[in-house]
Amino acid sequence: MKITYQEFKERQNWNLYQKIDHAVGTMERFLSETNGRAFISFSGGKDSTVLLDIARRFIDRKFLGVFSNTGNEYPETVKFVRSFDNLTIIHPQMRVKEVLAKYGFPLISKEQSHYIRQARNTKSEKLRDIRLNGKPIKSGKGGIGGKISEKWKFVIQAPFEVSEMCCYKLKKEPFELYHKQTGLNPIIGTTAEESRLRLQKYLKTGCNNFDGKKVASYPLSIWTENNIWEYIRKFGIPYSPIYNIPGVRQTGCMFCGYGCHEEKGGFNRFDILNYLHPKAYQVFMDYTNSGVTYREALEYIGIQLPDSPKRQLSLFNPFEQII
C-alpha cells in the first residue's frame, strides 16, 4: 500500500497512544497474513527493545525474539540481550575481519558506501556515470538521486575498498538464512526517519511488505526517536546501559564508521570504544583491506582517533558518568 509523504508526516504527528495502537494493529495484520509465523528482529537497541515490549505486552507475552550476535556488539548490549527469555541467537557465516578484508570498510553512510563501491567496481559506464553525476528523478518528484556526494568523491581514489556489505553479511544474511530454515518472517523495529532509503521503502509499501522476495513488517516506521524514549519512560522498560554514556545514540557494531564524521562535542564513538574496551578498539583498528588498516582508512576521510598523534582531547572527561 503506497503512502504519500503528506500522510507520513500526519502519522508522525500522532500521539504516543495512537502510534502504539497503530503498531499493534500493524503486527496483528502481519500475523494474520503470515499465519502467525513471525519473530521480532531484536538487536538490543532501543527501537527493537520497544518493539519487543509492544509485541509481548499487547499481543503475546512469549513473542519470539531473534538476535544476530555478530561478535562486534558492545558487551554491555549482549549482556542486556541475554537477560531476555524466549530468545533465539543466530550468528553470521563470516567474521567481521573477513568481511572487511573481502568487501571493504563501512565509511560515511550505508548509501554513500554503496555508491562508492559501485563507482569503483562496476563494468557499466552508465551506472558509473549515475553514481558520479546523478540521474534526474522522474517529473514531479524533484531532485537528483543515486549520486556520490561531492564531499566524498575523493574516496573513489582511496587505496582501499569502501562497502556497505558488512551490514548484509553480518546482520541481514543470517536473518535471511534463519527465515529459509524456519519459515518465520521478520518484524523489524526500524523507523522511516532514520534514512532516505527507509522513508522511500515506507512510502512504497507502508508498514507491512508482502511484495517481492522479502515479506517483513516495520510497525515503528512512523515513530520518532522522541516517541521511543517516551515509551521507555512511560512503561519503565529496561534498555541497554550503553545509552547512558554521553554521546551514544545508537548501539550496533562497535567498529561501524557510518555517520562518525557528523559527531560533535569534542569526541566520537571511537573515543567511547577506546575508553570502554581498549583491546577491542585496537583489534578493530588493525583490520585491513588492500593492505590498509581501518585506522588509516578512518584518518583518510578525516576522522580524528583517540590515539592519533595530532589529536588533542579536551581536559573535560565525557565519560565521568559511565553506566
Side-chain angles (χ1 to χ4, degrees):
M1 181 180 68
K2 290 187 177 182
I3 306 294
T4 67
Y5 184 73
Q6 181 178 351
E7 288 173 324
F8 165 68
K9 296 304 293 183
E10 289 174 353
R11 294 179 181 187
Q12 264 200 325
N13 288 327
W14 287 351
N15 64 42
L16 179 63
Y17 299 101
Q18 289 174 304
K19 289 186 177 181
I20 293 173
D21 286 343
H22 179 267
V24 172
T26 295
M27 283 189 275
E28 288 178 337
R29 288 192 295 273
F30 188 74
L31 291 169
S32 176
E33 292 289 335
T34 59
N35 296 315
R37 299 187 60 76
F39 65 90
I40 300 295
S41 176
F42 185 49
S43 69
K46 64 184 188 305
D47 297 352
S48 66
T49 297
V50 165
L51 180 62
L52 184 62
D53 187 81
I54 292 174
R56 291 184 173 182
R57 184 181 299 271
F58 298 106
I59 298 177
D60 181 352
R61 65 186 182 87
K62 293 187 178 296
F63 211 114
L64 175 65
V66 179
F67 171 66
S68 178
N69 190 350
T70 67
N72 306 294
E73 285 81 17
Y74 281 99
E76 294 85 353
T77 294
V78 176
K79 182 179 180 181
F80 169 71
V81 167
R82 292 184 181 277
S83 70
F84 287 79
D85 58 4
N86 201 30
L87 186 76
T88 296
I89 298 178
I90 59 179
H91 302 273
Q93 295 180 307
M94 293 179 71
R95 296 180 301 163
V96 63
K97 181 178 181 179
E98 299 168 331
V99 174
L100 299 186
K102 182 174 182 178
Y103 297 104
F105 298 123
L107 300 175
I108 309 164
S109 71
K110 187 181 297 185
E111 186 177 71
Q112 290 292 302
S113 287
H114 175 62
Y115 295 163
I116 292 169
R117 176 175 65 83
Q118 288 187 327
R120 286 173 61 106
N121 298 291
T122 183
K123 295 180 180 179
S124 168
E125 287 302 319
K126 180 179 179 180
L127 178 58
R128 179 177 170 81
D129 182 64
I130 291 173
R131 294 302 178 233
L132 291 176
N133 303 307
K135 180 180 180 180
I137 296 177
K138 293 180 181 179
S139 176
K141 296 185 179 181
I144 299 292
K147 181 179 181 295
I148 299 171
S149 169
E150 293 295 326
K151 179 180 179 179
W152 301 114
K153 280 188 176 179
F154 74 93
V155 182
I156 298 174
Q157 306 301 324
F160 53 84
E161 293 292 334
V162 174
S163 170
E164 81 293 357
M165 288 298 292
C166 59
C167 285
Y168 176 75
K169 300 301 292 187
L170 299 178
K171 294 185 177 180
K172 290 185 179 181
E173 188 176 64
F175 280 111
E176 290 177 357
L177 180 59
Y178 181 78
H179 164 70
K180 290 180 181 179
Q181 292 173 339
T182 66
L184 300 179
N185 302 287
I187 301 177
I188 303 169
T190 54
T191 64
E193 73 170 5
E194 290 179 286
S195 73
R196 185 175 66 88
L197 292 178
R198 287 177 178 172
L199 174 58
Q200 288 178 337
K201 181 184 293 185
Y202 171 74
L203 296 179
K204 182 178 180 181
T205 66
C207 289
N208 287 332
N209 180 25
F210 299 107
D211 299 325
K213 295 181 179 179
K214 185 175 182 180
V215 174
S217 179
Y218 306 87
L220 303 184
S221 292
I222 61 174
W223 288 49
T224 66
E225 184 176 14
N226 287 338
N227 295 144
I228 296 296
W229 286 113
E230 185 181 1
Y231 183 96
I232 289 172
R233 293 190 297 268
K234 175 68 179 177
F235 294 98
I237 65 172
Y239 56 89
S240 171
I242 204 72
Y243 287 108
N244 293 332
I245 300 172
V248 172
R249 293 187 61 188
Q250 295 180 328
T251 55
C253 292
M254 292 184 285
F255 70 88
C256 185
Y258 293 151
C260 62
H261 59 285
E262 297 178 337
E263 293 173 332
K264 297 177 174 59
F267 63 101
N268 58 44
R269 69 192 63 180
F270 299 111
D271 296 312
I272 296 171
L273 175 58
N274 186 51
Y275 184 89
L276 289 177
H277 305 289
K279 290 184 179 180
Y281 168 80
Q282 293 298 335
V283 169
F284 290 141
M285 290 302 106
D286 288 339
Y287 285 157
T288 62
N289 177 274
S290 304
V292 178
T293 66
Y294 192 35
R295 179 194 312 277
E296 292 168 331
L298 288 164
E299 291 176 340
Y300 185 90
I301 67 167
I303 303 302
Q304 291 191 335
L305 298 171
D307 50 359
S308 171
K310 296 181 180 180
R311 184 72 184 277
Q312 292 184 351
L313 288 176
S314 167
L315 293 177
F316 167 71
N317 183 358
F319 313 112
E320 288 179 348
Q321 299 185 11
I322 293 288
I323 304 180

